[in-house]
Amino acid sequence: LYAEIKQRVGDLGRKRRAEFSATALSMVLGKGDGRLGAVVGDFYPDLTEFIQKRKAFQAEPKVMVRCSRQSFRESDSAGETAVTADYQIMYRRAADWDLSAAHEWQPVLLPRRNESETAVIELKYTQELPAWMSSLMRDLEPQRARFSKYRAALQPAYWNCVACSSE
């Protein structure tokens, strides 16, 4: 599991993520024993900023998102380069924190141009755009789409919730 803090300034996006175990989920979300929650940063130091921001904004997840990911990474003098493919992207309402409730997970709708598109591909680099990636980006330009897995998952959950509350 990961807690992420995303920040966008203009066209530049930054993401910081902290990995934690499923057993720490209720503590990260402030649902567990307060005494244990106070020391979660001791076991998962990268979570400290996430927990502080969650508390400051009184933020709670509305949906949970999961997917399978293939990741290819390389680091050299030009910085880090990565290509990731996310597929089998699923979501469910965050009504409880049971991650095993398989029947409640729904597929996230992808921005498709045809039925064969089943994955989200991300091309990432830190300093210098490699020539091979530049060429690939030109080839893929007609298929380019801005896409957020969380936002795509949130929209159906939001509209279903509105429909339920108006009945």
Side-chain angles (χ1 to χ4, degrees):
L1 299 175
Y2 296 94
E4 294 183 341
I5 297 174
K6 295 183 179 185
Q7 180 181 17
R8 180 170 293 280
V9 178
D11 285 339
L12 183 62
R14 259 186 72 202
K15 175 171 67 174
R16 293 177 307 286
R17 73 174 11 181
E19 186 173 8
F20 61 95
S21 71
T23 57
L25 180 60
S26 62
M27 288 186 292
V28 170
L29 298 173
K31 305 291 183 189
D33 183 330
R35 293 170 295 164
L36 293 175
V39 298
V40 77
D42 294 342
F43 296 102
Y44 302 98
D46 294 340
L47 283 175
T48 303
E49 182 184 9
F50 176 85
I51 292 170
Q52 288 171 344
K53 288 188 181 296
R54 185 197 56 75
K55 287 179 181 178
F57 292 104
Q58 298 177 351
E60 291 188 11
K62 302 300 180 199
V63 295
M64 293 188 289
V65 178
R66 73 176 188 192
C67 68
S68 296
R69 171 172 278 185
Q70 262 190 309
S71 181
F72 305 96
R73 297 185 179 278
E74 177 180 85
S75 291
D76 60 19
S77 61
E80 184 178 17
T81 304
V83 177
T84 59
D86 292 347
Y87 54 97
Q88 297 175 341
I89 305 169
M90 308 287 279
Y91 77 95
R92 68 177 281 241
R93 284 186 338 114
D96 61 53
W97 311 118
D98 179 10
L99 301 177
S100 65
H103 64 282
E104 296 181 16
W105 293 91
Q106 301 291 319
V108 168
L109 297 177
L110 299 179
R112 295 182 178 185
R113 289 173 179 76
N114 62 56
E115 288 301 311
S116 67
E117 296 168 352
T118 59
V120 174
I121 306 296
E122 290 182 275
L123 307 174
K124 307 168 189 176
Y125 64 95
T126 55
Q127 295 173 14
E128 189 177 312
L129 178 63
W132 66 266
M133 189 179 282
S134 179
S135 174
L136 183 59
M137 289 170 73
R138 276 192 305 278
D139 292 346
L140 293 175
E141 182 61 34
Q143 303 298 316
R144 184 177 178 181
R146 290 191 182 270
F147 182 74
S148 162
K149 293 182 288 280
Y150 185 78
R151 185 174 180 183
L154 188 60
Q155 288 173 330
Y158 171 77
W159 291 115
N160 289 339
C161 182
V162 170
C164 290
S165 64
S166 64
E167 293 177 350

